[in-house]
Amino acid sequence: GALLEGARAIFTPSGDTARRLAAHFPGCAARIAVRPHPETSPLARASMPHAALPHASATGRAGGTPTLAVSSRGTNDALRVAVIGAIGPHKGSHVLEACARHAREAGLPLHFTVVGYTDRDETLRQLGVTVTGRYDEIELLDLLGSSDGSRADGNVADATPGNGHGGHHLAFLPAVWPETYSYTLSEAVLAGLYPVTFDLGAPAERMTAWNYGLRLPVALMRDPAAINAALLACTPAAPPAGPTRALLAAGDYPAPFRASYYGFPDGEKPGGDTGGSAAKSAKEQP
C-alpha cells in the first residue's frame, strides 16, 4: 500500500482491474487511470490493414482485401476448440482436464487443442487433447487459423483437423482468476475465433463492450458437463470489424509514448525528472 500511496498516478490495463484495486486501496482510487495494453504482436500487425477498412465484412472482401470468415460446422463434425497460451492452474488447466475427461467419457463431438503448453500435458494427451507445445509469436498466424483456414493476414492456414494448425471453430479461455487484460483474448479475436470465457475479469469486460463472444457463469467452473454443453450449443461467428478496430485502437498510443501513455510533457520522464539529472547520475555510476 505504501508504494501506491506515494505514486503520482496508477495505471491499470482494464476497468475491472481498476475497480478491484480501488476496492482494496480506496485512498488511491482518484489516481487510477485505465490504459489498455498496446497490441504489438504479429497477429495485431497483420490485422491492422484489414481493421482500417471502412466496410470490412466478416464473410467477404472489402476494398479487395480478404477478411476472416468462419465456416459452419457440419452435422457430423467435432467442435474444434482452441485453448491458447501457457495453461497452469490459475489459467484453468484443471477445468480443461475435467472438460476433456467428460467429453471423452460421454462420447461428445468435442476436440480440444492447447495452442501452447500446460502443467499436465501428458494427462491431457491421454484424454485426446492435442498439445502443440511452445511456439513463436509468428506461428500463431497458422496455429490460430479459423475453421475454414482463414488467417489474420488474409492467407490460408493448413487447417487439417487435429494437427494443431488452424481448423478451430472457437477459442475457450478457461482462466479461473480475474485476468487484468488478456492478450490471449486479443489473439483469438484477431485470428477470427469466437471467444468463450467465464464472466470474470477483464476478458469478460472487454467482450461485453464488444457485444461479442460467450460469457459463461462463474458457477460453471466446477461443472464440466455444463461447460461442454455450452460449447456445443455455440454458433460461432467471426468477429465483426468493430471489435477488431476497437481492440487495436484502445492500445494505440502515438509517439512520444511517455506523453500519450503516461501523460508526461515531452521530455519529462516518469518520476518527474526532465532527463538532465538522470543522465548526470548515470554518468557518475562507477
Short mmCIF file of all heavy atoms in Angstrom, two decimals, residues 94-95 98-99 176 198 217-227:
data_model
loop_
_atom_site.label_atom_id
_atom_site.label_comp_id
_atom_site.label_asym_id
_atom_site.label_seq_id
_atom_site.Cartn_x
_atom_site.Cartn_y
_atom_site.Cartn_z
N HIS A 94 -7.06 -27.30 -14.82
CA HIS A 94 -7.91 -28.34 -14.23
C HIS A 94 -9.32 -28.32 -14.84
O HIS A 94 -9.96 -29.36 -14.95
CB HIS A 94 -7.98 -28.17 -12.72
CG HIS A 94 -8.46 -26.83 -12.26
ND1 HIS A 94 -7.74 -25.68 -12.46
CD2 HIS A 94 -9.60 -26.46 -11.62
CE1 HIS A 94 -8.40 -24.64 -11.96
NE2 HIS A 94 -9.54 -25.10 -11.46
N VAL A 95 -9.79 -27.13 -15.23
CA VAL A 95 -11.08 -27.02 -15.91
C VAL A 95 -11.01 -27.71 -17.26
O VAL A 95 -11.91 -28.48 -17.64
CB VAL A 95 -11.49 -25.55 -16.07
CG1 VAL A 95 -12.77 -25.43 -16.90
CG2 VAL A 95 -11.68 -24.88 -14.72
N ALA A 98 -10.97 -31.48 -16.83
CA ALA A 98 -12.29 -32.00 -16.49
C ALA A 98 -13.20 -32.01 -17.71
O ALA A 98 -13.97 -32.97 -17.92
CB ALA A 98 -12.90 -31.16 -15.38
N CYS A 99 -13.13 -30.97 -18.53
CA CYS A 99 -13.96 -30.91 -19.74
C CYS A 99 -13.55 -31.99 -20.74
O CYS A 99 -14.41 -32.65 -21.35
CB CYS A 99 -13.86 -29.54 -20.38
SG CYS A 99 -14.69 -28.22 -19.46
N VAL A 176 -9.53 -19.11 -14.22
CA VAL A 176 -10.41 -19.10 -13.05
C VAL A 176 -10.09 -17.94 -12.10
O VAL A 176 -10.59 -17.91 -10.97
CB VAL A 176 -10.32 -20.45 -12.30
CG1 VAL A 176 -10.83 -21.58 -13.18
CG2 VAL A 176 -8.89 -20.74 -11.83
N PHE A 198 -15.22 -17.36 -18.88
CA PHE A 198 -16.09 -17.16 -17.73
C PHE A 198 -16.35 -15.66 -17.55
O PHE A 198 -15.54 -14.83 -17.94
CB PHE A 198 -15.48 -17.77 -16.48
CG PHE A 198 -15.35 -19.27 -16.54
CD1 PHE A 198 -14.09 -19.86 -16.61
CD2 PHE A 198 -16.48 -20.07 -16.55
CE1 PHE A 198 -13.97 -21.24 -16.69
CE2 PHE A 198 -16.37 -21.45 -16.64
CZ PHE A 198 -15.11 -22.04 -16.70
N PRO A 217 -21.40 -18.37 -16.88
CA PRO A 217 -21.50 -18.06 -15.44
C PRO A 217 -20.32 -18.66 -14.67
O PRO A 217 -19.89 -19.78 -14.96
CB PRO A 217 -22.82 -18.74 -15.04
CG PRO A 217 -23.61 -18.85 -16.31
CD PRO A 217 -22.60 -19.06 -17.40
N VAL A 218 -19.82 -17.92 -13.70
CA VAL A 218 -18.68 -18.38 -12.92
C VAL A 218 -18.98 -19.71 -12.23
O VAL A 218 -18.09 -20.55 -12.05
CB VAL A 218 -18.28 -17.30 -11.89
CG1 VAL A 218 -17.23 -17.82 -10.92
CG2 VAL A 218 -17.75 -16.05 -12.61
N ALA A 219 -20.23 -19.92 -11.88
CA ALA A 219 -20.60 -21.15 -11.19
C ALA A 219 -20.32 -22.40 -12.02
O ALA A 219 -20.20 -23.50 -11.47
CB ALA A 219 -22.09 -21.11 -10.82
N LEU A 220 -20.18 -22.24 -13.34
CA LEU A 220 -19.93 -23.41 -14.20
C LEU A 220 -18.49 -23.91 -14.12
O LEU A 220 -18.18 -24.97 -14.67
CB LEU A 220 -20.26 -23.07 -15.66
CG LEU A 220 -21.67 -23.48 -16.12
CD1 LEU A 220 -22.72 -22.80 -15.28
CD2 LEU A 220 -21.86 -23.17 -17.60
N MET A 221 -17.62 -23.18 -13.45
CA MET A 221 -16.22 -23.60 -13.36
C MET A 221 -16.07 -25.03 -12.85
O MET A 221 -15.14 -25.74 -13.22
CB MET A 221 -15.42 -22.66 -12.45
CG MET A 221 -15.13 -21.31 -13.04
SD MET A 221 -14.20 -20.29 -11.85
CE MET A 221 -14.05 -18.77 -12.76
N ARG A 222 -16.98 -25.45 -11.98
CA ARG A 222 -16.92 -26.78 -11.37
C ARG A 222 -17.87 -27.78 -12.05
O ARG A 222 -18.13 -28.84 -11.49
CB ARG A 222 -17.23 -26.69 -9.87
CG ARG A 222 -16.24 -25.84 -9.10
CD ARG A 222 -16.62 -25.78 -7.62
NE ARG A 222 -15.71 -24.95 -6.86
CZ ARG A 222 -14.56 -25.38 -6.33
NH1 ARG A 222 -14.20 -26.64 -6.48
NH2 ARG A 222 -13.78 -24.55 -5.64
N ASP A 223 -18.37 -27.42 -13.23
CA ASP A 223 -19.35 -28.25 -13.90
C ASP A 223 -18.95 -28.50 -15.35
O ASP A 223 -19.45 -27.84 -16.26
CB ASP A 223 -20.73 -27.58 -13.84
CG ASP A 223 -21.86 -28.51 -14.24
OD1 ASP A 223 -21.59 -29.55 -14.86
OD2 ASP A 223 -23.02 -28.18 -13.94
N PRO A 224 -18.03 -29.44 -15.58
CA PRO A 224 -17.55 -29.67 -16.95
C PRO A 224 -18.65 -30.08 -17.92
O PRO A 224 -18.60 -29.74 -19.11
CB PRO A 224 -16.50 -30.78 -16.79
CG PRO A 224 -16.81 -31.42 -15.48
CD PRO A 224 -17.36 -30.34 -14.61
N ALA A 225 -19.64 -30.80 -17.44
CA ALA A 225 -20.74 -31.21 -18.33
C ALA A 225 -21.48 -29.98 -18.84
O ALA A 225 -21.83 -29.90 -20.03
CB ALA A 225 -21.70 -32.14 -17.59
N ALA A 226 -21.72 -29.01 -17.96
CA ALA A 226 -22.42 -27.79 -18.36
C ALA A 226 -21.56 -26.95 -19.29
O ALA A 226 -22.07 -26.34 -20.25
CB ALA A 226 -22.82 -26.98 -17.13
N ILE A 227 -20.25 -26.89 -19.04
CA ILE A 227 -19.34 -26.15 -19.92
C ILE A 227 -19.37 -26.77 -21.32
O ILE A 227 -19.52 -26.07 -22.33
CB ILE A 227 -17.91 -26.14 -19.37
CG1 ILE A 227 -17.84 -25.36 -18.06
CG2 ILE A 227 -16.94 -25.55 -20.39
CD1 ILE A 227 -16.51 -25.46 -17.35
#
